[in-house]
Amino acid sequence: AEGTKHLKPDLEVACPAEVDGAPAVLVLGSGSTPRRMRGALVRRVDDGFPVEAAELGPLYERVAGLLGLPMDRLNLEGASRHGDTVRWFNRGNLAAGVPSASVDVPLGDLVDAVLGRRDGGSIPVVRPRVYALGEVEGVGLAVTDAIALPDGRVLLSAAAEDSPNAVDDGPVVATALAWVDDEEVVAVAPIPAVEGHVHKVEGLALRRVDGGEVHLLAVVDDDDPGTPSTAIDLRVQLT
């Protein structure tokens, strides 16, 4: 309402990483505007948490090019870590003809780019994948986050949000989880409404896997600055 949305860094990805053997968190912007093409590393040093950030515009241009997208259609909203590789997911928007998709990027190269040790535009971007997640009430489901399972397959959160582009919000008619094996969508299950309200799940964290049951923490963005974010415990039975 105050006209400040163009300043938003829109840090949509948080991924565990390492810096010189020490644990860190890599965070990445969505890329849908120049302000959102930055990466940052958060480390724990003694009792503090120093943050280092870098502009990564050339890397985002490489991702958009591999996915065949103009820069204003790029909306990188989630990632899963697979060993030394980050699988980076573009949300997509079926109303605009953009499917959900992903690319693979070396984690170490991302860390080095944020630390200024290499040029972001030289980072390899490979293995484009496209995901057909279906529709709800005529609105396409689009990926909002991802988590890698121990067997290498992926659980995606997805939202059916009636929005014309990658930046503007719209009404969310449904949310779901999708179980994905490479590009194959194995199964899609709706996330139940909470007290009659459809929550837009935008973040996933893996708590544990007990046999075929996966325990997740899901974080919600209700697109309302007056509403606190909701955290939801989810249990998913894989069959």
Side-chain angles (χ1 to χ4, degrees), residues 150 208-215 236-238:
R208 66 185 186 277
V209 178
D210 295 330
E213 188 173 72
V214 179
H215 295 251
V236 182
Q237 189 68 43
L238 302 179

Side-chain angles (χ1 to χ4, degrees), residues 52-65:
E52 297 174 78
E55 299 289 339
L56 299 176
L59 170 62
Y60 284 82
E61 291 174 3
R62 287 175 65 89
V63 174

Side-chain angles (χ1 to χ4, degrees), residues 170-221:
V172 177
V173 301
T175 55
L177 292 176
W179 186 20
V180 173
D181 185 357
D182 200 64
E183 282 184 284
E184 179 189 1
V185 179
V186 179
V188 178
I191 297 174
V194 179
E195 297 180 349
H197 180 62
V198 175
H199 286 292
K200 184 170 70 169
V201 171
E202 289 218 2
L204 290 179
L206 180 64
R207 285 185 154 165
R208 66 185 186 277
V209 178
D210 295 330
E213 188 173 72
V214 179
H215 295 251
L216 300 169
L217 173 66
V219 179
V220 169
D221 175 12

